[in-house]
Amino acid sequence: KVPDKALHSLSGLSVPNAEVWLEGAPKQRQRGPVLVTHWGLSGPAVIRLSAWQAELLHQSHYTSCVYVNWVAGERDVYGALTLLSTRFPKSKISRKSAFRDIPQRLWQYLVTRVGCGDQTWAELSDMRLRELADQLKAVPFQVTGKGQFKDEFVTCGGVSLNEINFKTMESRLCPGLHVVGELLDIDGETGGFNFQNAWTTGYLAGTACLDATV
């Protein structure tokens, strides 16, 4: 959840290849599509980030800062900006998106946010072009909570895997107790991995219990 009305007005726009990370965990980056919603940011990259950083987000009560590299799919951001500056010196920077993957309205929002939306390409010095390139690679957004529906795709945490016999899913600490699915400290990415975990561990436990009664 990002409290930015200007961002909310872009709901439905997306960038297919962006990169996101949380403040305090810059090495734990996730890459993929990022979607702008009417309450903030979502999409596969954001969902994966919220999964792998679930403990950090929980500890901060979902109050943090998320950075987005909107041009992660570009090899030479500065070069692309320099080319536009050379070809269209009198054109306003906000007039046309410099990158194919960034929709025009999102581009206008981004360059306005970094303070050069009303300028022409000719008005930007070489140093300012480099700064713009760097700023597009790390745009900060203040996070004030979970998404609108506050639902989890999967629950983080659970019984330690060291305490489980994975042949039968029986607890090593409490014989006769079988632990499966999201009761375990297992949570994977979206894409069916958590369903598979539930089905597989449930099958192993059920089979073990059935064998024990035969």
Side-chain angles (χ1 to χ4, degrees), residues 72-87:
E74 299 292 331
R75 291 185 178 181
D76 186 2
V77 178
Y78 166 71
L81 296 178
T82 301
L83 180 61
L84 279 175
S85 178
T86 302
R87 294 181 62 186

Side-chain angles (χ1 to χ4, degrees), residues 46-165:
V46 173
I47 292 172
R48 285 199 299 271
L49 180 69
S50 68
W52 297 129
Q53 296 298 324
E55 292 184 5
L56 181 63
L57 287 167
H58 178 72
Q59 291 167 3
S60 68
H61 302 287
Y62 282 82
T63 300
S64 184
C65 182
V66 62
Y67 288 86
V68 182
N69 177 359
W70 295 101
V71 288
E74 299 292 331
R75 291 185 178 181
D76 186 2
V77 178
Y78 166 71
L81 296 178
T82 301
L83 180 61
L84 279 175
S85 178
T86 302
R87 294 181 62 186
F88 308 104
K90 296 182 180 181
S91 178
K92 274 193 175 183
I93 295 171
S94 60
R95 185 185 176 196
K96 184 178 180 181
S97 176
F99 303 99
R100 180 180 58 185
D101 288 342
I102 298 182
Q104 172 61 20
R105 288 197 298 137
L106 178 58
W107 172 255
Q108 290 176 330
Y109 165 84
L110 292 173
V111 295
T112 298
R113 178 170 170 151
V114 299
C116 60
D118 291 332
Q119 293 178 285
T120 65
W121 286 107
E123 292 176 315
L124 289 192
S125 64
D126 183 71
M127 180 179 294
R128 190 69 181 96
L129 280 174
R130 292 184 184 276
E131 288 177 355
L132 175 59
D134 290 338
Q135 288 171 328
L136 292 172
K137 295 177 184 178
V139 181
F141 294 91
Q142 191 62 42
V143 177
T144 59
K146 300 180 183 181
Q148 182 179 11
F149 302 107
K150 302 179 182 177
D151 292 331
E152 319 292 343
F153 281 81
V154 62
T155 301
C156 176
V159 175
S160 173
L161 304 186
N162 295 328
E163 300 176 7
I164 301 298
N165 177 354

